[in-house]
Amino acid sequence: MEIKVFIIFAIVILILFLVVSNHIIRVAIKQNKVKKGSALRYMIISVFSGIVIVSFSIWTFFIH
C-alpha cells in the first residue's frame, strides 16, 4: 500500500515541477526575456531532470 502512495506522490511532484518550470519559461518568452530556442531546450532539460529525480527517489525507496 505504501509503495503505491510513494509512487503516486513522486509522480505528482514531477507533474507540479514540470508545470511550474514550463510556466515560468512561457512567461519569460512572452516578455521577450528569453529566446525561443533556448527556452525549448530548457523545457526539455526540465522534463528529463524531473524524470531522473522521480526515478531516483523511487529507487532509493526500494533500497531502504
Side-chain angles (χ1 to χ4, degrees), residues 17-18 21-22 41-51:
F17 171 75
L18 294 177
S21 65
N22 291 337
R41 279 185 243 138
Y42 176 78
M43 286 181 182
I44 292 170
I45 290 172
S46 69
V47 168
F48 285 127
S49 64
I51 291 170

Side-chain angles (χ1 to χ4, degrees), residues 3-18:
I3 293 173
K4 290 180 184 178
V5 171
F6 185 78
I7 291 172
I8 291 172
F9 175 73
I11 291 171
V12 168
I13 293 297
L14 171 67
I15 291 170
L16 289 175
F17 171 75
L18 294 177

